[in-house]
Amino acid sequence: MTAQATYVRTADVALDELTPFPGNAKRGNVDTILESLRRNGQYRSLVVREIPDGPLIVLAGNHTMQALGAHGAGDCGKTVKTSNGTGPCGICQNDPSWQPGARCEIVQCDEDTARRINIVDNRAADLGGYDYEALSELLAGLDDLDGTGYTPRDVEDITALLTAPPDEVTELSDHHGEPNEDIFRPKISMTVDAETFDRWRLALDAHPGKDDEAKLDGLLDEIERTRAAAATAAEAGA
């Protein structure tokens, strides 16, 4: 069997034929996924490993599978708001005969690759970040928040924290509740070698401040002053 994943086919598979990934470490929000599926339909396939003469194991999309199972068989009786008014549930289409199933991308790979796919599918989203100004504009362009995973309070938090001066961020966080400051403020993250980290640490610690953010502000101020002085000296020598 190939080490890298090899695409085999796309198929609609009954949920009772699918096996959750053993030991899946991610804990997703099934309720949010279920709401999205009802509003948007299943816009992304599950990635499923096919083992010859063995089970179909879900590598990516385990919580989508759980949400489809939580919907249950038959007509859920729910309708959703659409741009044209109202529409049927995106899962069952309000069909009494609907049986829980999912569209799946079937692949073949070895056990080692299967683990890597499951791990990175969960981890990649954690390592990403947001341009919250762009997110705010995207959310503002919608008539409602159904199926987005966001609530009106989230939008309020994003808007307030984007426009707040630094000394008011803590106050806003207290008002809106934790962990909004950590969620909605941009983060700096990178992997470097030990020597570079030590140089970075020494540069930060050369500046006063109650935390690394304050020290970083001091370092950036120093860099800007040095660049300005160098530009002035260059003009004077021209």
Side-chain angles (χ1 to χ4, degrees):
M1 185 177 293
T2 180
Q4 296 176 336
T6 301
Y7 170 79
V8 178
R9 65 186 183 280
T10 300
D12 291 324
V13 182
L15 291 195
D16 59 11
E17 296 178 21
L18 297 172
T19 299
F21 188 84
N24 184 40
K26 191 73 171 181
R27 298 295 179 264
N29 190 315
V30 175
D31 289 341
T32 297
I33 297 171
L34 177 56
E35 178 191 355
S36 169
L37 290 167
R38 282 194 167 119
R39 174 59 181 82
N40 305 314
Q42 189 192 345
Y43 56 84
R44 181 167 54 201
S45 298
L46 279 58
V47 178
V48 176
R49 180 191 180 198
E50 180 180 65
I51 301 175
D53 301 319
L56 292 170
I57 300 176
V58 179
L59 303 183
N62 281 272
H63 296 98
T64 297
M65 178 177 62
Q66 290 181 31
L68 291 167
H71 176 284
D75 180 2
C76 67
K78 296 183 180 294
T79 58
V80 297
K81 290 184 289 186
T82 70
S83 57
N84 298 321
T86 60
C89 168
I91 299 174
C92 65
Q93 297 296 307
N94 300 130
D95 179 357
S97 65
W98 186 81
Q99 293 297 316
R103 185 179 68 255
C104 302
E105 299 287 327
I106 311 295
V107 302
Q108 290 185 349
C109 62
D110 62 14
E111 179 65 26
D112 181 81
T113 301
R115 287 193 175 204
R116 294 176 189 276
I117 291 171
N118 174 262
I119 291 170
V120 74
D121 186 73
N122 291 329
R123 179 59 171 156
D126 298 337
L127 295 175
Y130 280 98
D131 178 334
Y132 284 102
E133 290 186 3
L135 176 59
S136 180
E137 291 179 6
L138 286 172
L139 292 170
L142 298 174
D143 293 332
D144 60 67
L145 299 174
D146 294 351
T148 66
Y150 287 89
T151 67
R153 179 169 177 173
D154 292 329
V155 175
E156 179 184 351
D157 290 344
I158 294 170
T159 302
L161 290 170
L162 280 174
T163 58
D167 59 350
E168 293 183 14
V169 169
T170 300
E171 179 182 347
L172 286 166
S173 295
D174 291 341
H175 174 70
H176 293 295
E178 296 296 341
N180 289 325
E181 179 177 359
D182 289 338
I183 291 175
F184 296 121
R185 298 188 71 194
K187 292 180 173 62
I188 298 174
S189 177
M190 66 180 70
T191 301
V192 298
D193 59 38
E195 181 181 356
T196 301
F197 177 82
D198 289 342
R199 291 175 61 198
W200 166 255
R201 189 71 260 168
L202 286 172
L204 282 183
D205 290 341
H207 298 274
K210 63 179 181 179
D211 53 31
D212 282 349
E213 182 177 1
K215 295 175 184 292
L216 177 59
D217 284 339
L219 175 60
L220 294 176
D221 287 343
E222 178 186 354
I223 292 171
E224 290 174 359
R225 289 194 300 270
T226 301
R227 287 178 174 174
T232 299
E235 291 177 358

